Amino acid sequence: MYIHICRLLKILLCILQDGESWKENNCTKGTCSAGKVITEHVPCEPVTIPICENQQPPVRVYDEAGCCFHYECKCVCSGWGDPHYVTFDGEYYSFQKNCTYVLVKEIQPKYNFRVIIDNENCDPSGTVTCAKALIVYYKNYKIILTQKRNPKTVNLVYVDDKQVFPTYSNKDFIVTSTAIELLLKIPEIEAVVMFKGLLFSIDLPFSRFHGNTEGQCGTCDNNRKNDCRLPNGDIDPSCSDMANHWRVPDKNKPYCEVPPSPTPIPTRTPTPEPCKPNICEILISKVFEKCHSVVPPTHFYEACKFDVCHMPNSTVGCSSLEAYAMMCAEAFVCVPWRSATHGQCDYKCPANKVYKPCGPTVVPTCNARYNEKYTQQCQAENANQDTGCLVTEGCFCPEGLTLFSSNSDICVSSCCTGPDGQPKKYGETWQSGCQQCSCDEATLSVQCKPVTCATQEPVTCTEEGEVLVTRTVDCCEKQICVFKFYCLQPGMEFSKSPCEICHCTDTQDPNSKLNEITCVIGDCFEECSEGYVYEEQPGQCCGTCKKISCVMEFPDSPPIIIESWSPPDDKCVMYECQKGSCGASSSM
């Protein structure tokens, strides 16, 4: 709005300020010329479209201002099946070894980025291998993308040897999953690593990694001639031979440290029956026709025939079809191909999800902020292509249902969330604190209101020492009777009577919600000598011994109670016991 108003003012004043120019936005400027506003785009260099040796269409890359662009070739390295590889620049080769190798690393460290592939035997014969895991090192992170294949295939992700669950993200990367594939994105360096078990790919921006990669994926520089680069920088004439030189030590594979045995002398074998890899013909059929002009299928077709003709089960060819479909999707051509295999390459999704050949790479959830953040990020990553976000095959929630959250596998019809973080159904009610909540179908959201409190009957305190107080019980104010000395806080001490010491406990009374009281009666010595009786003293904890008889005490003999008494040696003296208000006393 501000720009439009300013532009209008410039137009109105144009006659008075002929020749003045101003910046309308990052890419255009306006100039007053003879009473008219002339709009000019910032000058851009002439654009040439390169011919990419990997036969993939070049991508449009804009400058920082977003005004001018140039074209770059994509650097995508992929592998599939009994591993077949296509390097960044499109060199195709096969390599069947079950050790651990460098797929890609920087020649001159710049981003601290490298990818290791952990291969394993796919069948008991030991002649067929496939990728067990991709290990991505970035900055100080170690990210493992792998699968558990028995009894069913489950994607697994580990970050610094601790299992995490997609969608997982931090300030440096994000990992998503569609049940079929795992996708690691590193926005800062625009790197994307995909793993689907028998299929994987590494996508790097040409502008950041041009001429600075080596490993089994070769050098990203749009030149196939140097793709078979050895660790010492020399170029091997065969990429299949080069690949073995990128082996890295693996303590879990001691057999890889043993020098390979000499190649056995081939013996004459019977001529095999002709191989008919019918499943591979789908690659060059009308099923993929829309993609043929964008991504040539030749390498994938040859790899498919090799796998099918060397394995007893033709379904191994599915990985070649899957790899080609993935490359087509990367070029924004989605091909629903699995149905054409008549069940050979079907993918069985969990019971609560359905298979889609062209689903979103960012799966919408009940979390609107999550959707906005990652959808915008996805659109920004692909803004240069004017095609929005990429699509991918996977297992998704059925129509009308939404994925509850990025780290759950629950599809819900409503996006209500209870206090425990779990989904709630329409019409379901629950109490959260002092709020009564429900999943409201009209507003498609959680609606809460204060708990309704019942009217209380009048309360009268009948016990001696009780007082009426108002307390909040179960979110409602109630009048209750409590002893006048009630607990204010645990540990507090007070006296209910001179001889009774009480203290507050940590235990709460379920009715009054007040802390319970425990009291102890003080011990008093109530035994009195002969001629005395114990009497309580008002206001005192303990009583006293009151004299009620005259007691005569003699040395070396017990005291005696008397009414009258004369000493044996003086009969003229008589002692009599007199009782008064203060007790008994003797007089002559």
Side-chain angles (χ1 to χ4, degrees):
M1 178 65 75
Y2 175 77
I3 293 175
H4 293 320
I5 293 174
C6 288
R7 188 169 186 267
L8 180 60
L9 290 174
K10 294 288 185 182
I11 293 172
L12 293 175
L13 297 174
C14 196
I15 298 176
L16 301 177
Q17 302 178 20
D18 190 63
E20 183 189 0
S21 63
W22 62 92
K23 194 173 184 180
E24 293 187 334
N25 53 49
N26 285 341
C27 302
T28 60
K29 71 173 183 177
T31 304
C32 278
S33 177
K36 295 182 180 180
V37 175
I38 307 299
T39 299
E40 296 178 295
H41 194 280
V42 297
C44 296
E45 295 291 331
V47 175
T48 58
I49 301 178
I51 298 175
C52 301
E53 291 213 6
N54 58 17
Q55 297 183 308
Q56 294 200 34
V59 294
R60 185 182 294 181
V61 180
Y62 282 85
D63 58 19
E64 290 186 5
C67 302
C68 301
F69 66 87
H70 65 279
Y71 284 97
E72 289 182 356
C73 293
K74 297 178 67 176
C75 280
V76 181
C77 171
S78 58
W80 68 94
D82 179 15
H84 308 285
Y85 297 80
V86 174
T87 65
F88 287 126
D89 296 329
E91 186 69 22
Y92 168 78
Y93 69 95
S94 297
F95 177 69
Q96 290 86 24
K97 298 290 183 181
N98 67 336
C99 295
T100 304
Y101 308 90
V102 174
L103 267 181
V104 58
K105 66 183 288 286
E106 296 171 284
I107 298 174
Q108 296 296 326
K110 185 177 181 181
Y111 304 111
N112 197 16
F113 173 81
R114 62 191 170 105
V115 183
I116 306 297
I117 184 170
D118 179 3
N119 286 343
E120 66 177 356
N121 289 327
C122 291
D123 71 337
S125 70
T127 58
V128 180
T129 60
C130 55
K132 176 184 177 182
L134 293 187
I135 306 168
V136 181
Y137 293 92
Y138 175 61
K139 293 185 175 179
N140 293 321
Y141 298 106
K142 176 185 177 184
I143 309 157
I144 300 177
L145 309 178
T146 185
Q147 285 184 340
K148 178 183 177 184
R149 297 192 173 111
N150 290 311
K152 66 176 183 178
T153 301
V154 178
N155 289 328
L156 299 174
V157 182
Y158 296 87
V159 176
D160 296 334
D161 297 321
K162 180 181 179 182
Q163 186 175 2
V164 299
F165 300 92
T167 296
Y168 172 87
S169 66
N170 57 29
K171 63 183 180 65
D172 291 311
F173 62 87
I174 176 174
V175 182
T176 59
S177 174
T178 62
I180 293 180
E181 75 170 21
L182 286 169
L183 201 64
L184 165 65
K185 294 183 179 180
I186 307 176
E188 185 177 352
I189 60 173
E190 303 172 71
V192 179
V193 180
M194 186 278 295
F195 182 76
K196 297 173 75 171
L198 293 179
L199 171 64
F200 61 86
S201 69
I202 302 169
D203 190 341
L204 302 179
F206 189 89
S207 57
R208 293 182 183 272
F209 290 89
H210 170 251
N212 195 35
T213 66
E214 60 181 356
Q216 291 182 336
C217 282
T219 304
C220 165
D221 62 354
N222 199 30
N223 178 15
R224 289 192 189 182
K225 294 180 180 179
N226 60 6
D227 275 3
C228 304
R229 176 187 172 98
L230 297 171
N232 62 6
D234 293 341
I235 307 301
D236 195 293
S238 167
C239 282
S240 295
D241 293 336
M242 168 274 294
N244 197 49
H245 288 272
W246 287 104
R247 182 177 59 82
V248 295
D250 189 335
K251 64 180 180 180
N252 296 318
K253 299 178 179 180
Y255 54 83
C256 290
E257 305 301 323
V258 179
S261 56
T263 304
I265 299 174
T267 57
R268 184 181 297 274
T269 57
T271 303
E273 295 183 6
C275 176
K276 297 180 180 180
N278 294 330
I279 192 173
C280 303
E281 300 303 314
I282 297 174
L283 285 162
I284 55 176
S285 71
K286 288 187 176 181
V287 174
F288 284 97
E289 187 175 21
K290 291 182 179 179
C291 190
H292 289 163
S293 60
V294 181
V295 181
T298 308
H299 296 328
F300 304 93
Y301 181 59
E302 295 301 323
C304 181
K305 290 192 295 182
F306 177 89
D307 289 348
V308 171
C309 293
H310 287 80
M311 290 285 287
N313 191 342
S314 64
T315 57
V316 70
C318 295
S319 62
S320 292
L321 276 72
E322 193 172 11
Y324 185 57
M326 180 200 71
M327 299 304 292
C328 294
E330 288 279 338
F332 301 97
V333 179
C334 180
V335 180
W337 60 275
R338 289 188 185 268
S339 59
T341 66
H342 302 294
Q344 292 187 80
C345 302
D346 281 353
Y347 189 90
K348 188 175 182 180
C349 289
N352 65 325
K353 292 189 176 182
V354 295
Y355 170 80
K356 292 182 181 180
C358 306
T361 53
V362 178
V363 181
T365 71
C366 284
N367 188 328
R369 290 184 179 179
Y370 168 89
N371 297 342
E372 182 180 3
K373 175 182 177 181
Y374 290 111
T375 299
Q376 286 180 350
Q377 179 178 313
C378 164
Q379 291 172 343
E381 290 170 355
N382 296 284
N384 296 338
Q385 312 308 316
D386 300 323
T387 51
C389 296
L390 290 171
V391 295
T392 184
E393 68 170 352
C395 297
F396 302 89
C397 291
E399 291 297 326
L401 300 182
T402 305
L403 188 66
F404 180 64
S405 68
S406 60
N407 58 358
S408 78
D409 199 36
I410 304 172
C411 296
V412 295
S413 57
S414 70
C415 284
C416 296
T417 305
D420 57 354
Q422 296 302 308
K424 298 291 185 180
K425 298 178 181 179
Y426 286 130
E428 192 171 352
T429 61
W430 65 94
Q431 185 171 328
S432 178
C434 290
Q435 297 283 313
Q436 187 68 34
C437 303
S438 65
C439 183
D440 185 56
E441 189 169 4
T443 61
L444 306 179
S445 63
V446 175
Q447 298 292 317
C448 295
K449 59 182 180 180
V451 170
T452 302
C453 298
T455 303
Q456 186 182 12
E457 295 291 333
V459 177
T460 302
C461 298
T462 57
E463 296 291 331
E464 184 179 355
E466 285 186 331
V467 293
L468 190 65
V469 297
T470 301
R471 286 286 176 268
T472 300
V473 180
D474 294 333
C475 300
C476 295
E477 286 193 348
K478 292 184 178 181
Q479 288 188 318
I480 58 174
C481 294
V482 298
F483 187 73
K484 63 181 178 181
F485 297 104
Y486 56 87
C487 286
L488 296 178
Q489 61 183 9
M492 186 184 77
E493 289 191 355
F494 57 90
S495 298
K496 289 174 62 177
S497 65
C499 212
E500 188 175 12
I501 303 300
C502 303
H503 74 276
C504 295
T505 68
D506 293 324
T507 305
Q508 195 175 71
D509 183 271
N511 296 319
S512 67
K513 303 299 181 182
L514 296 174
N515 292 71
E516 293 182 347
I517 300 170
T518 59
C519 298
V520 178
I521 304 296
D523 291 331
C524 293
F525 187 75
E526 299 181 1
E527 293 185 7
C528 297
S529 302
E530 194 169 3
Y532 293 81
V533 66
Y534 183 82
E535 287 188 354
E536 300 282 353
Q537 296 294 317
Q540 300 295 321
C541 175
C542 297
T544 59
C545 291
K546 183 179 180 182
K547 191 174 184 181
I548 58 172
S549 300
C550 293
V551 179
M552 297 297 293
E553 296 181 359
F554 300 96
D556 302 325
S557 62
I560 60 173
I561 297 175
I562 61 171
E563 293 296 329
S564 62
W565 178 76
S566 294
D569 56 351
D570 188 358
K571 298 298 183 180
C572 294
V573 177
M574 175 69 71
Y575 293 93
E576 291 183 350
C577 184
Q578 296 181 348
K579 296 182 179 179
S581 60
C582 294
S585 62
S586 58
S587 62
M588 291 187 295

